[in-house]
């Protein structure tokens, strides 16, 4: 369980954000919903708030479940760390991360036999001179059918090395790209109560999430019922925040995070230093 000091995904009513000046929109902040403008809370200062040059990112809170509280949930916003979800787009970094991941998937098990490994006798096929034909050695020569392979592939490791900070930047860029495309959603929880695939498919169609959607949870494992009901849906995948790769965020156009996943990403990728409260540092009088 993450510490409260790293919990930066806060839920705010929409009317609170609308009450502030919309100067942030003019400054180039991203509108994350057709009816909700991304605004800045410059009048409020807190230790976990972003610097004045980086305005917070707000995403409408969605609900995977059909419940009576769905309307109240849809009226709330999740505040995201701008250093994680509003990073400048770097296509070169994404390319490095994707190639690095795909290289690690290669088996590298291709193997061919050289002339020394091919079965057969080492006897010279014909005399060197007198036949009028080309000179030949043994039957394992690469020039002959059934002979060895010259410079053929051998088992090797195709994996490459990439600095950890580059991979972290790639994760920030991938998440920020989905936010700017309005293809990132945040839900309170991914705990699905049903057991039927058709019910999940119907709900995803209602939400518009039936077009290649990746669900990411911040828990140690994917909820069992979510895994079961989405297992036979070809355009849906589930993963945990610990296991997701930059390649996954690039491959799946739509991404759905729960609040725990948001907290996990902000804890691992945030560049904003958290300032602990003075009361925690003050020694007790006892």
């Amino acid at each position: 369980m993450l510490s409260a000091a790293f919990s930066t995904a806060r839920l705010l009513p929409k009317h609170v954000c609308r009450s502030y000046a919309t100067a942030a929109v003019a400054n180039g902040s991203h509108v994350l919903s057709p009816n909700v403008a991304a605004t800045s809370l410059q009048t409020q200062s807190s230790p976990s708030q972003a610097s004045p040059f980086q305005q917070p990112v707000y995403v409408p809170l969605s609900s995977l479940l059909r419940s009576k509280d769905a309307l109240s949930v849809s009226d709330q916003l999740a505040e995201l760390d701008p250093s994680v979800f509003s990073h400048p787009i770097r296509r070169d970094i994404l390319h490095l991360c994707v190639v690095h991941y795909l290289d690690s998937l290669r088996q590298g098990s291709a193997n061919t036999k050289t002339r020394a490994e091919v079965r057969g006798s080492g006897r010279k096929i014909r005399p060197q001179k007198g036949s009028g034909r080309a000179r030949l050695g043994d039957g394992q020569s690469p020039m002959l059918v059934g002979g060895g392979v010259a410079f053929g592939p051998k088992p090797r490791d195709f994996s490459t090395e990439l600095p950890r900070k580059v991979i972290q930047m790639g994760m920030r860029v991938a998440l920020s790209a989905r936010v700017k495309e309005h293809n990132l959603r945040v839900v309170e929880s991914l705990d699905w109560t049903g057991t039927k695939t058709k019910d999940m498919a119907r709900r995803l169609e209602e939400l518009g999430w039936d077009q290649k959607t990746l669900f990411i949870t911040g828990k140690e494992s994917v909820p069992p019922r979510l895994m079961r009901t989405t297992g036979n849906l070809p355009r849906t995948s589930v993963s945990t925040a610990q296991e997701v790769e930059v390649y996954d965020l690039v491959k799946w156009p739509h991404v759905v995070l729960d609040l725990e996943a948001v907290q996990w990403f902000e804890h691992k990728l945030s560049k904003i230093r958290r300032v602990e409260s003075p009361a925690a540092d003050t020694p007790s009088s006892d």
Side-chain angles (χ1 to χ4, degrees), residues 2-251:
L2 297 177
S3 173
F6 299 110
S7 179
T8 59
R10 295 181 294 277
L11 305 182
L12 301 176
K14 282 185 179 179
H15 65 84
V16 174
C17 294
R18 290 172 178 169
S19 63
Y20 292 95
T22 57
V25 179
N27 292 333
S29 61
H30 306 286
V31 179
L32 304 178
S33 174
N35 300 324
V36 181
T39 57
S40 173
L41 301 180
Q42 298 179 355
T43 58
Q44 296 181 355
S45 61
S46 62
S48 63
Q49 191 174 357
S51 63
F53 302 99
Q54 284 187 312
Q55 300 171 356
V57 180
Y58 296 98
V59 176
L61 193 65
S62 304
S63 177
L64 183 63
L65 302 176
R66 297 188 188 93
S67 62
K68 299 179 181 179
D69 300 334
L71 295 177
S72 61
V73 170
S74 62
D75 290 337
Q76 294 178 339
L77 300 176
E79 180 182 344
L80 307 181
D81 190 338
S83 66
V84 178
F85 295 91
S86 186
H87 193 281
I89 304 302
R90 294 281 304 274
R91 298 183 63 182
D92 56 331
I93 298 297
L94 291 179
H95 178 265
L96 289 175
C97 295
V98 169
V99 171
H100 167 71
Y101 174 73
L102 294 179
D103 286 344
S104 67
L105 297 182
R106 299 189 63 175
Q107 287 185 343
S109 58
N111 187 19
T112 55
K113 291 184 178 182
T114 64
R115 65 184 302 165
E117 298 170 336
V118 175
R119 178 181 178 275
S121 172
R123 181 183 65 87
K124 189 174 176 61
I125 294 180
R126 55 174 172 259
Q128 183 80 354
K129 293 181 175 293
S131 67
R133 302 177 66 183
R135 296 169 291 187
L136 286 178
D138 55 22
Q140 291 79 33
S141 172
M143 296 185 301
L144 302 178
V145 176
V149 177
F151 310 110
K154 286 293 184 177
R156 54 170 291 194
D157 183 12
F158 283 93
S159 63
T160 56
E161 295 184 358
L162 196 63
R164 173 178 54 85
K165 290 188 177 181
V166 176
I167 299 177
Q168 291 178 348
M169 181 184 293
M171 190 67 70
R172 296 189 195 100
V173 172
L175 291 171
S176 302
R178 292 295 171 239
V179 171
K180 293 182 180 181
E181 295 170 354
H182 301 174
N183 289 334
L184 186 137
R185 301 289 185 268
V186 178
V187 296
E188 242 182 325
S189 175
L190 289 177
D191 292 327
W192 180 252
T193 57
T195 58
K196 298 292 185 179
T197 300
K198 62 180 181 180
D199 296 336
M200 172 63 75
R202 189 180 301 111
R203 179 56 176 166
L204 295 181
E205 185 177 359
E206 293 175 359
L207 296 172
W209 297 351
D210 55 340
Q211 300 295 327
K212 295 194 68 174
T213 302
L214 172 63
F215 294 91
I216 302 177
T217 178
K219 299 180 179 179
E220 295 183 357
S221 61
V222 178
R225 292 193 176 184
L226 178 67
M227 176 74 75
R228 177 179 179 181
T229 53
T230 59
N232 290 331
L233 297 179
R235 297 183 178 181
T236 303
S237 180
V238 293
S239 178
T240 61
Q242 295 88 341
E243 298 175 352
V244 72
E245 301 285 346
V246 177
Y247 173 79
D248 299 325
L249 297 176
V250 174
K251 174 184 177 181

